[in-house]
Amino acid sequence: MAEHCPSQTKKVLSVINLRKAYGHRQEVIKGLRFDLHAGELVAIVGRSGAGKSTLLHMLNGTVETTSGEIIGFPDDPDAKQVHQLSGKDLRQWRAVCGMIFQDFCLVPRLDVITNVLLGRLSETGTIRSMLKLFPKNDVAKAIELLEWTGLINHALQRAENLSGGQCQRVAIARALMQNPKILLADEPVASLDPKNTHRVMSALKEISQQNIAVMINLHSIELVKQYCSRVIGIAEGQIVYDGSPDGLDDSVQQRIYTQQPTAA
């Protein structure tokens, strides 16, 4: 397995012997170990059913771990034991570790700018958000993010009237309203046409360049090589490659997509 050279930037996440099994079924995640650093754009690649989406949801705390550790900001005195969080502490983690979903998860009947402002729900509160009582500085930031994503002209349009690419960019803006240190994206371009795919990938790359750690599930090796700084290949719940996208030669891709994995 190719070795990943740790970045000199801050370590924001450590995964140690992470495992996940559903009931009595076979494990879908089998002893994963890796670190994530600020400023990285990391692709997770592998066959369908390899455990890619499960991994991201475990990191975000939307899927419970079976065993192992997920440590947020491991070098800080107040490091977070993500796998043990619940209630308010877990909601706070999800604000720091944002998530972008393949199906966008927007509120269709709300306008675009309100959907973006819902990224501040953990701070604004449910009642004030329902009444659209958002602080002026949050509104200003939402406008700035819509300008950055090229959607300012759609700010007052209902989300249900947007294209898939536009919805995904709204979802990105909403996630950035949380001021995340980590951004996870579960197959963010799977349903998009080529033009919108590159718009979204360019946005995610720009986000990583702002010293935010970005980790995404991708199916396209071409996109991985074009946009990502690192790639983790998973086969049947195990890491079989962790390194530069330049190292994804035919033999490595065969290990990821066709062969049975060896112990990571």
Side-chain angles (χ1 to χ4, degrees):
M1 184 178 74
E3 295 295 331
H4 171 67
C5 296
S7 169
Q8 295 300 313
T9 55
K10 182 179 180 180
K11 188 188 300 182
V12 296
L13 196 71
S14 286
V15 171
I16 304 169
N17 199 27
L18 188 64
R19 296 179 180 274
K20 178 62 181 180
Y22 290 98
H24 298 292
R25 292 164 50 191
Q26 185 177 4
E27 287 183 319
V28 294
I29 295 293
K30 305 173 183 178
L32 299 192
R33 292 177 178 267
F34 63 86
D35 294 326
L36 184 64
H37 298 81
E40 288 189 301
L41 176 49
V42 182
I44 307 295
V45 300
R47 296 173 63 178
S48 296
K52 305 185 303 296
S53 292
T54 298
L55 171 60
L56 290 192
H57 283 272
M58 291 169 74
L59 300 182
N60 181 250
T62 51
V63 170
E64 292 184 358
T65 64
T66 297
S67 63
E69 297 178 277
I70 302 170
I71 305 175
F73 312 107
D75 297 330
D76 290 356
D78 57 344
K80 305 295 184 184
Q81 302 286 331
V82 178
H83 53 289
Q84 296 178 349
L85 298 179
S86 61
K88 181 180 178 181
D89 291 334
L90 182 56
R91 291 192 294 272
Q92 289 177 342
W93 170 252
R94 290 175 182 161
V96 175
C97 182
M99 187 88 170
I100 300 169
F101 302 91
Q102 182 180 349
D103 58 357
F104 320 129
C105 291
L106 303 180
V107 182
R109 292 187 176 275
L110 290 181
D111 57 42
V112 166
I113 193 167
T114 302
N115 269 283
V116 174
L117 284 161
L118 289 178
R120 297 292 291 165
L121 183 62
S122 63
E123 297 293 329
T124 306
T126 302
I127 294 177
R128 290 181 63 85
S129 295
M130 290 176 61
L131 297 174
K132 298 186 179 182
L133 299 175
F134 300 104
K136 290 182 178 179
N137 59 328
D138 285 351
V139 175
K141 181 175 181 180
I143 291 171
E144 180 183 347
L145 286 169
L146 288 175
E147 289 176 341
W148 173 68
T149 56
L151 292 171
I152 190 62
N153 292 334
H154 300 276
L156 300 180
Q157 187 174 344
R158 282 186 175 185
E160 63 188 355
N161 296 324
L162 299 181
S163 69
Q166 290 169 332
C167 285
Q168 195 60 286
R169 283 183 280 155
V170 174
I172 289 172
R174 180 188 58 193
L176 292 178
M177 281 297 297
Q178 303 174 200
N179 297 316
K181 301 298 182 184
I182 303 168
L183 187 59
L184 309 174
D186 190 10
E187 300 189 18
V189 298
S191 60
L192 304 184
D193 60 47
K195 183 177 181 180
N196 279 304
T197 290
H198 287 288
R199 281 178 172 172
V200 169
M201 290 302 302
S202 294
L204 292 171
K205 183 173 182 178
E206 187 173 339
I207 291 166
S208 72
Q209 292 169 342
Q210 302 303 312
N211 213 34
I212 296 172
V214 181
M215 177 172 278
I216 60 177
N217 287 347
L218 284 176
H219 286 289
S220 169
I221 295 299
E222 179 182 347
L223 291 176
V224 172
K225 291 183 175 181
Q226 183 173 354
Y227 289 101
C228 299
S229 59
R230 176 183 169 195
V231 58
I232 296 176
I234 297 181
E236 297 191 1
Q238 299 180 38
I239 293 176
V240 297
Y241 180 84
D242 184 354
S244 168
D246 293 336
L248 289 173
D249 57 24
D250 290 344
S251 65
V252 171
Q253 292 186 50
Q254 187 177 26
R255 293 210 308 274
I256 295 171
Y257 290 105
T258 62
Q259 293 185 344
Q260 295 290 327
T262 57

